[in-house]
Amino acid sequence: MTMHATNMGNSLYKTDPLTKRLNAAEARFRIYGMAAVAFGVLALVGLLTSALGTGVSAFRQTFVEIPVMLDAAVLDKSGNRNPEEMAKITTIGYAKVLETAMVAELTERGLLNDRVSAKDAGGLISKEAPAQLRNMVLANPELLGTTVEFRALANGRVDGFFKGRVTMESAALDSNISPAQLELAQKMRELGLLSVSFNWGFITGPDASELRPEAAGLGVAILGSLYMMIFVLVLALPLGVAASIYLEEFAPQNRFTDLIEVNISNLAAVPSIVFGILGLAVFINFGGLPQSSPLVGGLVLTLMTLPTIIIATRAALKAVPPSIKDAALGIGASKTQTVFHHVLPLAMPGILTGAIIGLAQALGETAPLLLIGMVAFVRDYPAAPPEGFLDPAAALPVQVYNFTQRADPAFIERASGAIIVLLVFLLAMNLLAIILRRRFERRW
Amino acid sequence: MKTVKFTVSALAIIAASASGAFARDQIQTAGSSTVLPYATIVAEAFGENFDFPTPVVESGGSGAGRKKLCEGVGENTIDIANSSSRIKQSDIDLCAQNGVTEIIEVRIGYDGIVFASDINGAEFAFTPADWYNALAAEVVKDGALVANPNKTWADVNPAMPAQDLLAFIPGTKHGTREVFDEKVLHAGCKASGAEEALIAAKGEEDGKKACLALRTDGVSVDIDGDYTETLSRIDANKNAIGVFGLSFYQNNTDKLRVATMDGVVPSVESIASGDYPVSRPLYFYVKKAHLGVIPGLQEYIDFFVSDDMAGPNGPLAAYGLVSDPELAATQAMVAAGTPMGPLK
């Protein structure tokens, strides 16, 4: 009324003080909102540029390609071509073969000078290469006595040189590489003995020790995360949906169900490490399940994800209009029929979205895995399921954490690379959630 | 319904295989993050050259690893604890309580602790007494005990540059801190005459304890993370001096300038000869009851201490481990599986 009174006699085209104040308040609020969004966007851009800036180079790797003479007299002393006897020659023996081959090739090309010793030349090749060569020969003893074109990873420092991480100045101070070695690597690149190409090994390969950062990959971690996600999906989705349907549609409203409801909301906010402590006590110490296995990891993450899924599912069930339920009941459907034929299908997009967001949350979790022995150096791939669920494995966020702990600077690049892979997986899952919602969502 | 049945039966199969076939076929180790890189190097080479799976190496700290080792005997407990400090009587008691009566103690070599600053900073030559006078809560000045008044390294020792005091030292949960306390702070406390004065002022017990008390005005910063954190802190604050493991420094010689201690430059050689004072032995502890049960365990520990791995020309030395001069005795002890006696 008062507003009407003050406006009396004023033109609508002329703003009075009150309107001015209201408009100013609105403008201010818009600025606050924009500032909040800008801050968020800035943080995101900062995160992405730092991860992409250091991590993209992890997907490219330097390789050395040289002919290697596989001397049968050295690698198979008995001459029987029996893989069991040949296995006695360890990777140390194969490292010498590679060094000899490197020196032979460089001498032929006239690249060796007195500033580079045989050991320095051999040092350009990754310490992973002897193991590759050994596996190759043991798998196919016929190769002995021939010369093969062998493609090996280059040493992490050499790789860093071509990516700009290592410079001549830093190499002069570096005890692991010398400028002479880098000059040699540069010449080798000009001759095509050394090349930089896409690094599948980073995505598929297992972790590696600190002596060979160039070989470290995410294969075991991706498999471990995948196994755990399978577990979470198979266990948490049916359990969560069943619990929510019961609580939402069938359970009587009393103190007891109220208590359960409060507890579920509470559990969703419990720090995830608590679930790790629980997992250690129940699944490993009491249940006797193997440590570091995706089975235990999956169970722990299931417990962690359940409240999220239950809350999302109940919200989706609540969003189905009561008129649909009433109509179904009205034409004689039983309660179960109503729920499973009408309510659940309509709530499905919301449930799936909730489940996928829960999964994405579980995928990025490290803390609970710390206590059940999954934050570890695992180099062997877990076997195919179901046995593989019991083999030790790592997980993607764990691998990021492990890489950041290591001394060799090459692992910094790999940690950021692993973050990129993790972000891609998370983005894919969230996209899937959006697509499912867009495609199947119904509005009333 | 079909999918539900399938899910249930799949879960049943997993549960059955979990409880039925319970043979763990890979070695499980846990413990010190200082020993971790060495253990992973050996585990990797072991997996490549032997017909056994690659051992799983967990970190988590020396104390946590030993505690895990002592949880009991059985395939869901670990086989080996890596440790950067010697096992304690309390660990042995806990082990005995849980049925782990025989433990094999294996010393793999020595690790140096170095003091380093930004590569473009000034050169430093320290003595333990300098560190004591820089970081301790109370120091001796003009013959009297006073609260530490020193502001720059030049205040501590006129021979050093007038750079503000700031040190990043390992937090108390690290095994490295124990060595820092004992070989640097305590040694410096003695050398600077502060111990005598502190004991005179506070009595035997409290005086010795006061030797390790650090000033709390922000000059000494505990780093609870790992050496990568110390490195990035130094990167952000070029005036600071950090405490690192020798192997970490050797992998980052292009970013760090190492300081001498008592005039000795830390290196594998100077630590092996005993000239460089701040070093410590590294160990791992094997549960003897698991030998012969976990496939490859005996082979793994033999391989770990073999000359090919832990010897002076092996990959561990290349990474920064100071090879043990008594390695041959350790090899014989490991081959025979001799459990350790009571702590001396």
Side-chain angles (χ1 to χ4, degrees), chain A residues 91 131 134 157 173-176 208-210 212 234 284 288 291 373 376-377 379-380 392 404-407, chain B residues 7 11 22 26 28 37 40-41 44 48-49 53-54 56-58 68 76 226 228 248 250-254 319:
Chain A
T91 43
R134 184 172 180 268
R157 291 296 204 288
L173 301 166
D174 197 325
S175 51
N176 293 320
S209 76
E210 301 217 28
R212 35 180 110 152
V234 164
I284 294 178
Q291 299 196 37
F377 175 78
R379 218 177 124 74
D380 288 340
T404 55
Q405 305 250 308
R406 300 196 184 156
Chain B
T7 316
L11 286 177
F22 202 58
Q26 81 285 337
Q28 290 257 10
T40 55
I41 289 167
E44 188 174 61
E48 276 164 13
N49 288 311
T54 309
V56 172
V57 190
E58 255 186 84
K68 262 187 138 172
N76 61 342
D226 40 47
T228 44
F248 188 90
Q250 286 194 335
N251 272 294
N252 290 284
T253 43
D254 55 333
Y319 187 71

Side-chain angles (χ1 to χ4, degrees), chain A residues 13 27 73-74 124 127 169 200-201 220 222 227 265 272 282 308 362 395 402 409 419 430:
Chain A
Y13 294 105
V74 177
L124 296 182
K127 294 190 172 59
E169 291 81 54
W200 282 111
V220 175
I222 292 177
Y227 284 7
S265 315
S272 55
V282 174
T308 316
N402 277 345
I419 292 173
N430 286 327

Side-chain angles (χ1 to χ4, degrees), chain B residues 159-189:
Chain B
M160 282 197 275
Q163 181 174 320
D164 281 348
L165 287 176
L166 181 58
F168 295 128
I169 63 172
T172 43
K173 72 163 195 171
H174 288 278
T176 316
R177 175 62 175 269
E178 249 170 75
V179 187
F180 178 79
D181 279 354
E182 186 196 322
K183 302 238 162 134
V184 181
L185 282 181
H186 192 233
C189 186

Side-chain angles (χ1 to χ4, degrees), chain B residues 65-140:
Chain B
R66 293 194 302 254
K67 211 172 141 216
K68 262 187 138 172
L69 184 81
C70 291
E71 267 171 5
V73 176
E75 299 203 352
N76 61 342
T77 60
I78 61 167
D79 311 312
I80 296 177
N82 300 318
S83 180
S84 61
S85 50
R86 202 156 184 230
I87 197 165
K88 295 198 168 59
Q89 190 56 46
S90 56
D91 296 319
I92 296 178
D93 293 343
L94 178 69
C95 266
Q97 219 175 62
N98 291 329
V100 185
T101 47
E102 289 187 308
I103 307 167
I104 305 173
E105 178 179 59
V106 184
R107 189 174 63 215
I108 58 169
Y110 293 84
D111 175 40
I113 291 169
V114 307
F115 301 85
S117 49
D118 188 69
I119 185 82
N120 299 316
E123 293 256 9
F124 282 95
F126 293 120
T127 63
D130 292 338
W131 274 95
Y132 181 79
N133 284 329
L135 299 189
E138 288 180 292
V139 297
V140 174

Side-chain angles (χ1 to χ4, degrees), chain B residues 298-318:
Chain B
Q298 180 71 50
E299 286 84 348
Y300 173 71
I301 59 177
D302 283 337
F303 184 62
F304 204 129
V305 293
S306 67
D307 289 332
D308 280 347
M309 281 289 132
N313 297 317
L316 299 190

